[in-house]
Amino acid sequence: MDLSSRRGLFVRGAMLLLLCTGGHAQIPKKNSRPLPPFVEMMPGAKQVTESYFSNNLRVGGMVLLFVEEPPAAIITFYRESMQRNGLTPGKETVTPKGVTVLKGSSADGKRELVLEVNPSKTSRIAIQLNYLTNK
């Protein structure tokens, strides 16, 4: 069995696990780090996973969450959060796959937060927060 076949089996197995548990399985957190002060967690959000990176130019990461709020409420919360935390939110855009994207940046260009709200047929919405701080 080649690597791509095993990867596909792993992905299908993980999806099956989530479906069988009602999507409430949580991936264990390893080396969890605090989020930067300009990245707020929406009340009631349940964190699924996170990742971080750091290099000579930037520090950043991604957090994947589930939220049981309508997409408009999620966007309103994060637009206000960006403003509270010194970021200027731009206009929402929608990708061809229906993902709503809202990007906020600081005036000096050193901090950035991107919200992605994924389409859902249920009340449970997957959102992704991508953040970046230039050194």
Side-chain angles (χ1 to χ4, degrees), residues 13-109:
M15 293 301 292
L16 181 61
L17 174 66
L18 286 172
L19 289 171
C20 291
T21 61
H24 294 288
Q26 289 205 0
I27 297 170
K29 296 179 180 93
K30 296 180 184 176
N31 301 327
S32 184
R33 299 179 189 180
L35 294 172
F38 66 94
V39 181
E40 291 184 39
M41 296 286 275
M42 186 172 189
K46 303 228 181 331
Q47 184 172 328
V48 178
T49 190
E50 62 191 14
S51 65
Y52 299 93
F53 77 90
S54 179
N55 60 34
N56 292 337
L57 302 174
R58 303 179 183 122
V59 174
M62 177 279 302
V63 180
L64 181 64
L65 310 165
F66 282 122
V67 180
E68 292 198 23
E69 293 286 339
I74 297 167
I75 292 166
T76 297
F77 174 84
Y78 279 100
R79 181 175 289 285
E80 292 171 356
S81 170
M82 288 175 185
Q83 292 169 340
R84 271 193 305 275
N85 291 291
L87 302 176
T88 303
K91 184 178 178 186
E92 299 108 53
T93 59
V94 179
T95 70
K97 294 194 177 204
V99 177
T100 302
V101 179
L102 175 65
K103 178 180 175 183
S105 301
S106 61
D108 62 5

Side-chain angles (χ1 to χ4, degrees), residues 105-124:
S105 301
S106 61
D108 62 5
K110 291 191 174 189
R111 294 176 296 135
E112 180 178 291
L113 177 63
V114 178
L115 165 70
E116 295 180 12
V117 180
N118 293 284
S120 176
K121 293 180 181 176
T122 69
S123 63
R124 204 159 163 241

